[in-house]
Structure formats: structure tokens, C-alpha cells
Amino acid sequence: MTQIVLRRLLSILLICLAIVFFCSLGLRLMRHSPGRSLPGLLVDAASDTFSYLGRILRGNLGDTYRVVGRRRVPIPVSSVVADTYAKSMGLLLVSLVVASMVGVVTGMLGAVWEGSPLSLALLTSTLLGISLPSFFTALVLQVVEITVYQRTGTRLVPVGGFGWDTHLVLPALVLAARPLAQIARITYLTLTDAARQDYVRTARAKGLPGRSVWTEHILPNAAVPILTSLGVSLRFSLGSLPVVELFFGWPGLGASLLTAVRSQQTTLVVTSALALGLTFMGVNLLLGVVNRVVDPRLRVVVHE
């Protein structure tokens, strides 16, 4: 287990270096002059990478600027990233909790009622969640809210802005849509496959009640794929985060990253991308450890 964690940490370190380099290279490509060759841009990007690593080691990432009135006010990059990261992670946490709870329950109901019209309807609805792009879902929800307000004068939820209240509803629903559908489908497929295994038939032949068969035999053996789907769901959410934050005016890390790219603030772009990348890799590392704790077969393979 320790060797696996160390190898994962080494790979995370290498990926972080790649993130810094390619972010620097991308920004160089955005603003390079026609006379600058690609090898020269690669050298410049490598120089930017070493310069950024030096600032990290010194504990000073420098300042970025925000326009207040007519003045440009310097703000430490670390403060900007810390503030926006907290807002983004709060939104992500709410959306993933919703997606996990509803997705697992939906998949379980589909598996228990396999073959029924209700099961077919549940699984068909998950296809919509996977297929619809985040910006379209966000736009539809905003149009629905605005239409309801215009016709009834009742505001259900805010269509934009920041707040740890009803402002969370629409962006959290959009971020939860694809993860919810993914988790529901994985849960359904895993449970239906586990229900057809010989050990389940044996348990039923011994006369165990249906509830005991599900809770003691089917669910524990389906836990690993369901946990793995959480990592995939986080990838979906992180990929949609900048678009969702931009649509709903949520001042998080994704929106800050897009603004920094537009204004070509290299340090802020690299730090924001690193924060998102480390979040994804850290959660994957945690899920990998949890999977080996939950599933003894993985521990046996690792030992061998």
C-alpha cells in the first residue's frame, strides 16, 4: 500500500510539472510574435516553469491586479486562489453530494425493478443527463426561472450571483446533472451484474430474505465500481466548472481561471490550473486507497 501511494505521489508531481509547463506554453503561444520559432517558445515556457517553481519555493507567487474604480489594485495571487478555490469547492461538494445520493438511489431502484417500465424510464432519463452539455442545461434552467417569474411574479431561485443559500440551487443542479447520470448508470449495471452471480443464487437458494441478499451480498460487492464512478464524476464536474461559474456569475476558481486566461496573467492561470489538477488527483488517490480497503481482492493483487 505504501509503495502504491508513493508511486501515485511521484506521478502527481510529474503531472504538476506538466501542468505548469503547458499552461506557460499556451499563454506564450497566445501572445507570441510571428518571428518567434516554436523551439524558442519551448525554451521560454521552460524558463517560465523554473521561474514559477522558484516563486513557490520562496513562498511568494506575486500579485495580480483588479480594477477598482479607475485604479488597478494589487492583490496577492495566493489570496485570490484561496478565496475562489473555497467558493468552487463548496459548490462542487454540494453538487457531488446531490449527484451521489440521487444517482445511487436511482441506480438501485432501476436494478431492483429491472425490466419494469419505471426502470426503463429512469435509465432513459440518465441518457439526457449524460448527453446534454452543461451550458445548454444552464441556459434552459435560467430561461425556465425567468419565464416563471415573468408569468407569476414569483422568484423561485436566483439566476445568478454568489451566496451560500438559494444561489447554490441552479449551479449545483447543472454541475450534478452529468455525475448523477453517470453514477446512476454505473450503479444499475454493477448491481444487476452482481445479482446474477452464483453466490447470490446460492444465498437465495438458502432462503435468505431479499433485503438481506441485497445488503449483505450484492451491495458490498458493487461498492468498488460505484466509488470509482465518483472519481469519473469529479472529472465531469471540474470540466464543467468554469462554464457553470461563468453562466451563473459564481466567483469561483473556474471563472477566475477564464478571466486570467483572457487577460494573460500567467501566474494566476498556472496556480488556478494547478489547484484544479491537484484536487482531481488528490481525490483519485483517496478513492484508490479506499477501494483497496473496501475490496480485499485488490489487496491480494497488490501483495502478489
Side-chain angles (χ1 to χ4, degrees), residues 199-237:
Y199 63 84
V200 174
R201 296 193 186 98
T202 303
R204 285 174 174 159
K206 290 181 179 179
L208 285 179
R211 180 178 298 180
S212 298
V213 172
W214 277 92
T215 57
E216 296 177 13
H217 295 276
I218 298 177
L219 288 177
N221 286 281
V224 172
I226 294 173
L227 286 173
T228 303
S229 70
L230 293 177
V232 177
S233 301
L234 179 64
R235 183 186 65 192
F236 287 148
S237 296

Side-chain angles (χ1 to χ4, degrees), residues 2-256:
T2 304
Q3 293 179 351
I4 293 174
V5 172
L6 290 176
R7 284 200 298 267
R8 290 287 186 89
L9 290 176
L10 179 59
S11 67
I12 287 175
L13 178 61
L14 295 176
I15 293 173
C16 287
L17 290 174
I19 290 174
V20 176
F21 175 78
F22 285 109
C23 284
S24 301
L25 178 61
L27 291 172
R28 287 279 180 179
L29 288 170
M30 286 177 62
R31 57 176 179 260
H32 88 284
S33 59
R36 190 65 169 164
S37 63
L38 181 58
L41 290 172
L42 293 173
V43 172
D44 291 340
S47 176
D48 291 341
T49 299
F50 286 113
S51 176
Y52 181 82
L53 295 177
R55 288 196 295 273
I56 288 181
L57 293 176
R58 292 193 299 271
N60 182 13
L61 293 175
D63 295 333
T64 184
Y65 295 90
R66 286 183 178 175
V67 178
V68 179
R70 295 183 178 180
R71 296 183 302 112
R72 296 179 68 194
V73 179
I75 303 174
V77 169
S78 56
S79 299
V80 174
V81 172
D83 178 60
T84 56
Y85 183 83
K87 293 173 181 175
S88 291
M89 291 306 106
L91 177 60
L92 273 175
L93 180 61
V94 171
S95 66
L96 288 178
V97 168
V98 171
S100 300
M101 294 177 63
V102 179
V104 169
V105 171
T106 301
M108 288 179 62
L109 292 177
V112 172
W113 297 330
E114 183 183 10
S116 69
L118 182 57
S119 175
L120 180 61
L122 289 174
L123 293 176
T124 302
S125 65
T126 62
L127 288 176
L128 292 176
I130 293 176
S131 304
L132 293 177
S134 298
F135 72 88
F136 181 77
T137 306
L139 186 60
V140 168
L141 290 178
Q142 286 182 330
V143 169
V144 169
E145 165 60 25
I146 293 171
T147 302
V148 170
Y149 178 73
Q150 289 175 340
R151 294 185 177 182
T152 66
T154 302
R155 186 178 298 280
L156 302 177
V157 291
V159 294
F162 171 75
W164 300 112
D165 47 20
T166 52
H167 289 82
L168 276 166
V169 175
L170 292 185
L173 285 177
V174 175
L175 278 179
R178 291 190 68 186
L180 189 157
Q182 175 75 12
I183 292 171
R185 293 187 68 81
I186 293 297
T187 302
Y188 168 78
L189 293 173
T190 304
L191 292 179
T192 52
D193 180 67
R196 299 189 183 102
Q197 299 302 313
D198 291 338
Y199 63 84
V200 174
R201 296 193 186 98
T202 303
R204 285 174 174 159
K206 290 181 179 179
L208 285 179
R211 180 178 298 180
S212 298
V213 172
W214 277 92
T215 57
E216 296 177 13
H217 295 276
I218 298 177
L219 288 177
N221 286 281
V224 172
I226 294 173
L227 286 173
T228 303
S229 70
L230 293 177
V232 177
S233 301
L234 179 64
R235 183 186 65 192
F236 287 148
S237 296
L238 287 175
S240 303
L241 185 64
V243 175
V244 172
E245 290 184 347
L246 189 64
F247 257 88
F248 293 102
W250 188 270
L253 193 61
S256 175

